[in-house]
Amino acid sequence: MDRKRIDRIIQIKERLKKDKEREVEEASSKMSAICAEINAVDGQIDDNYANLSARSLSGNDFAVIKDYLDYLDVQKSSLLCEKASMQETLDLLQHELYECARELKMLTKLQDKIKRAFKKTENRREQKLLDEMALRLDDKRM
């Protein structure tokens, strides 16, 4: 492969890797936000259960708190499903980032190999020219 092509491919892969890293960071921050919401809902559920057990309530107050607890349970289960979905997305993005880094490493090794081969060819060419010059000098001396 052409060295310029390899360099261009490496630039593109590095850009893709940076984009994947950004996507992973965004997904991680979303995951943190979802976990914070789940903790907040858990806190509200605990507070409402504490209110239920702390004092005696009228039937209407009990029904309101019970309905609110049911709403919080539904909200929590929704957030848990969203968290599981986000975890799958995060795992997929991390796997893609790993693959991109692997490809980039492979391309870098290929680039180094091409550079070594090019340098070896240049050294051979230079040695050949030096040998020819030395032969010419020997022929002129004789």
Side-chain angles (χ1 to χ4, degrees):
M1 273 190 150
D2 188 27
R3 286 184 350 173
K4 291 180 182 178
R5 255 185 169 170
I6 293 287
D7 291 342
R8 181 68 180 140
I9 291 171
I10 287 174
Q11 286 176 349
I12 291 169
K13 288 293 182 179
E14 286 175 344
R15 196 172 309 133
L16 286 173
K17 183 181 173 192
K18 287 180 183 177
D19 289 342
K20 288 294 177 191
E21 287 172 346
R22 182 185 43 77
E23 288 179 27
V24 167
E25 287 176 13
E26 289 174 0
S28 295
S29 66
K30 286 180 184 179
M31 178 70 93
S32 297
I34 291 171
C35 289
E37 285 183 56
I38 289 172
N39 290 336
V41 169
D42 278 338
Q44 288 177 347
I45 289 172
D46 292 340
D47 291 344
N48 283 305
Y49 275 120
N51 285 340
L52 279 175
S53 62
R55 56 192 164 105
S56 61
L57 300 171
S58 66
N60 190 28
D61 290 340
F62 180 78
V64 168
I65 291 176
K66 186 177 179 310
D67 289 340
Y68 185 61
L69 285 171
D70 290 339
Y71 165 75
L72 290 175
D73 284 336
V74 169
Q75 187 177 5
K76 182 179 177 183
S77 65
S78 170
L79 286 170
L80 289 173
C81 289
E82 189 176 344
K83 179 183 175 185
S85 172
M86 186 58 66
Q87 184 63 46
E88 288 176 10
T89 304
L90 187 61
D91 291 342
L92 179 66
L93 287 172
Q94 287 174 339
H95 179 71
E96 289 173 359
L97 178 63
Y98 171 76
E99 288 298 320
C100 189
R102 218 173 107 222
E103 288 176 10
L104 188 60
K105 185 176 181 181
M106 180 186 67
L107 287 170
T108 305
K109 285 182 180 180
L110 181 61
Q111 182 184 34
D112 291 342
K113 189 175 183 180
I114 290 172
K115 284 180 181 178
R116 282 193 308 266
F118 181 75
K119 188 174 181 179
K120 189 175 182 180
T121 305
E122 285 295 316
N123 288 341
R124 282 184 185 163
R125 193 174 297 146
E126 187 177 319
Q127 187 63 42
K128 187 176 181 180
L129 288 172
L130 290 172
D131 290 345
E132 287 176 6
M133 287 172 53
L135 287 175
R136 285 183 200 155
L137 288 173
D138 286 340
D139 289 341
K140 286 183 182 180
R141 288 183 186 169
M142 288 185 184

